[in-house]
Amino acid sequence: MKIGFTLQKKWQILVALAMGTSVVPINAGIVNVSLPAITEFFQVSVATSEWVLTAYLIFMLSLVLFFGRVGDSKGHERLYLVGLACFIISSILCSLSPSIYFLIIFRALQGVAAAMMISVSLGIVKKSFPTEELGRALGIYAVAIAAGLALGPAIGGLIDYMGGWRTIFLINIPLCTLSLVLCYFILDRDTGETVKWDFSGTILQFSCLFSVVYGLNYIQRSKIDILTVIIGLFALSTFCLFIWNERKVENPLLNLSLFRKIKFSAFNIALFLNYLCMYMVFFIMPFYLQKVLHLGSNVTGLILTAAPIIMMVLAPLSGSFSDKFGSRYLAFTGSILSGLALFSMTQLTIFSNFLDVLWRFGLLGVGAAFFQSPNNRAIMANASDEMSGMVSSIIVTMRNLGMVFAVSFAGLLLYTTISPSTLQAPVLYNLAAYDFTIGMHRVVIFGGIISIIMALLSLAGLKKEKLDVHHLKGKVADLIND
């Protein structure tokens, strides 16, 4: 099947998929810049507007493993086309939202559509290319995803500045429509194999994740009370039931045996922590830039783009280095650089300027670039070939799980220094601006501590391995000679 594809059709498929799938990471970051404007427009607290971000991420996260199984049964191409169509419809609904609650619901629908797309897109790419060209194709696909992450804040800031927050969702329509038309005529819509779906695991996974995020959000709006305890017990019970279910069911959403390997578990936890500390900063920084430094949304978008652009440029280089020297020390170095960038953000004040923020975001991007590619390589290297699809889904899950929890944790830390009612003001001055900055410092300190934990996790299991110093020196010499 793979050999039968012509060169033209293979690349048409890749371009069409990359074009459509890029809107998923774009929409993970495009709302960040406009969140202060959305909060002010609907006159709601940050704890409420957080759900505009969280609803998208939580539904995408909870359903990506499930839709991967649906794609195996109904056909990857068919599910991708349905996801594209649903993404277009949900984007239009988001732009027309009459209230914050409708916007949250429509963003949740966007998350469902995104899960349909990202759960099967890599599988379609793999089927479309012969083995000897697959690495190059997946590399180009990865650049498209990184470009989406990089462009999201910039596009969101520029469009919000020119046309208001409602227009940021309309950027999805031309990209998704073009991808839908191309995929409709290019893709062969084959029916997949019959598989058993883990409905119980899907429901338990979603219930656990939703209750945890809702509980964290509830604490921001209210003090810890009996309802908080009930939510916590429910989250714990659904988590335990999910683990029990995945161990007993014939076709589990998550193969728990993978996590018996110390290195596999350590690198996955480190990946989760990396996105946790990264996205905490991406969530809180637009409020600092616009409400404290009084910068426009267009400038805010450009600043937030610094880290993803650097990641897009350096990630292939760090991945190449990890092929030569291994993943551990590159991931360790990236974690330390990320920690330095986050701790340096404690020096930002109410009198800082955009350059003070820009170089720190750049350093954070360097750290993330040197961490993520080697870390992902190490995760894939610790799994067998027949588990590669499951492991790819786990990587996506850890990434989105970090993003979901980041919003909640950042909000909790921020509200320790400034009240929700004060934060609803269009701009902050004097003591209010100072209180916000102190809260931001607590967020980045927490992120810096997380980065140190990431560094330690990168060295997990090292005592069981002997480092061949002469072999490493030989690799360095070969690289210099090349």
Side-chain angles (χ1 to χ4, degrees), residues 80 94-95 140 144 150 200 339 371 431 435:
Y80 186 81
C94 285
S95 67
I140 295 173
S200 56
F371 172 82
L431 183 59
D435 289 341

Side-chain angles (χ1 to χ4, degrees), residues 133-402:
E133 294 180 355
L134 183 59
R136 183 184 178 193
L138 292 177
I140 295 173
Y141 179 89
V143 169
I145 299 299
L149 288 170
L151 292 174
I155 292 174
L158 181 61
I159 295 178
D160 176 81
Y161 182 77
M162 296 175 62
W165 67 266
R166 293 186 184 275
T167 58
I168 65 174
F169 300 104
L170 301 180
I171 189 64
N172 304 321
I173 297 175
L175 286 173
C176 288
T177 302
L178 183 56
S179 178
L180 181 62
V181 172
L182 291 174
C183 289
Y184 181 82
F185 289 104
I186 295 171
L187 296 179
D188 297 325
R189 292 178 287 280
D190 298 328
T191 303
E193 301 176 355
T194 302
V195 297
K196 294 182 179 180
W197 300 345
D198 184 11
F199 282 110
S200 56
T202 302
I203 294 172
L204 288 169
Q205 177 201 25
F206 179 83
S207 300
C208 176
L209 183 61
F210 185 86
S211 58
V212 169
V213 175
Y214 181 81
L216 292 172
N217 187 272
Y218 179 81
I219 293 173
Q220 294 179 42
R221 293 180 281 111
S222 309
K223 295 181 179 180
I224 297 178
D225 52 22
I226 186 62
L227 181 59
T228 309
V229 176
I230 294 173
I231 294 172
L233 291 174
F234 178 78
L236 180 61
S237 62
T238 51
F239 175 75
C240 293
L241 287 172
F242 174 73
I243 298 298
W244 177 84
N245 180 82
E246 297 308 285
R247 294 181 64 182
K248 299 296 183 181
V249 74
E250 183 179 352
N251 295 285
L253 279 178
L254 188 62
N255 191 331
L256 298 177
S257 64
L258 290 169
F259 293 91
R260 293 175 182 171
K261 296 181 179 180
I262 295 177
K263 289 188 292 184
F264 182 86
S265 297
F267 277 107
N268 270 289
I269 295 172
L271 181 64
F272 162 74
L273 295 178
N274 177 253
Y275 277 93
L276 175 63
C277 63
M278 284 278 293
Y279 214 72
M280 281 196 305
V281 179
F282 273 90
F283 167 72
I284 199 171
M285 198 55 67
F287 291 94
Y288 170 71
L289 294 170
Q290 295 179 42
K291 291 181 179 289
V292 176
L293 300 189
H294 308 156
L295 299 175
S297 57
N298 56 336
V299 179
T300 300
L302 291 174
I303 293 174
L304 296 182
T305 303
I309 286 181
I310 291 176
M311 290 168 59
M312 185 172 61
V313 173
L314 293 183
L317 181 62
S318 66
S320 178
F321 282 162
S322 67
D323 288 334
K324 293 180 179 293
F325 306 117
S327 300
R328 291 187 181 279
Y329 297 104
L330 285 169
F332 177 84
T333 302
S335 301
I336 296 300
L337 290 175
S338 296
L340 291 174
L342 289 164
F343 283 125
S344 71
M345 291 181 186
T346 60
Q347 303 304 306
L348 295 173
T349 69
I350 60 176
F351 304 109
S352 299
N353 57 55
F354 78 98
L355 288 177
D356 296 327
V357 183
L358 185 63
W359 75 260
R360 289 174 169 86
F361 257 83
L363 181 59
L364 185 64
V366 174
F370 276 93
F371 172 82
Q372 289 181 10
S373 291
N375 186 81
N376 290 345
R377 176 187 176 277
I379 293 173
M380 295 301 296
N382 280 277
S384 59
D385 292 340
E386 58 268 21
M387 289 290 182
S388 60
M390 174 74 74
V391 173
S392 297
S393 297
I394 291 173
I395 291 175
V396 173
T397 301
M398 288 297 175
R399 180 177 68 208
N400 292 313
L401 192 63

Side-chain angles (χ1 to χ4, degrees), residues 63-80 82 115-116 119-120 190-199 202 253:
L63 296 174
V64 66
L65 292 173
F66 171 73
F67 279 124
R69 302 296 289 168
V70 173
D72 291 338
S73 175
K74 301 299 183 181
H76 295 166
E77 295 81 3
R78 294 176 186 273
L79 185 62
Y80 186 81
V82 173
M116 293 182 188
S119 63
V120 296
D190 298 328
T191 303
E193 301 176 355
T194 302
V195 297
K196 294 182 179 180
W197 300 345
D198 184 11
F199 282 110
T202 302
L253 279 178

Side-chain angles (χ1 to χ4, degrees), residues 28-156:
I30 198 171
V31 177
N32 279 30
V33 180
S34 299
L35 198 61
I38 292 172
T39 304
E40 181 184 351
F41 180 86
F42 288 116
Q43 290 296 294
V44 295
S45 66
V46 174
T48 301
S49 63
E50 280 177 16
W51 282 96
V52 178
L53 297 174
T54 304
Y56 176 77
L57 293 171
I58 199 171
F59 274 82
M60 179 170 60
L61 167 65
S62 300
L63 296 174
V64 66
L65 292 173
F66 171 73
F67 279 124
R69 302 296 289 168
V70 173
D72 291 338
S73 175
K74 301 299 183 181
H76 295 166
E77 295 81 3
R78 294 176 186 273
L79 185 62
Y80 186 81
L81 289 170
V82 173
L84 273 173
C86 291
F87 209 94
I88 294 172
I89 295 171
S90 60
S91 297
I92 296 173
L93 292 174
C94 285
S95 67
L96 299 175
S97 299
S99 71
I100 188 68
Y101 301 105
F102 275 101
L103 179 57
I104 292 170
I105 292 171
F106 296 147
R107 283 283 286 174
L109 294 177
Q110 258 193 342
V112 175
M116 293 182 188
M117 294 162 63
I118 64 173
S119 63
V120 296
S121 55
L122 279 176
I124 298 174
V125 174
K126 289 181 180 180
K127 289 192 294 184
S128 303
F129 282 83
T131 304
E132 60 270 19
E133 294 180 355
L134 183 59
R136 183 184 178 193
L138 292 177
I140 295 173
Y141 179 89
V143 169
I145 299 299
L149 288 170
L151 292 174
I155 292 174

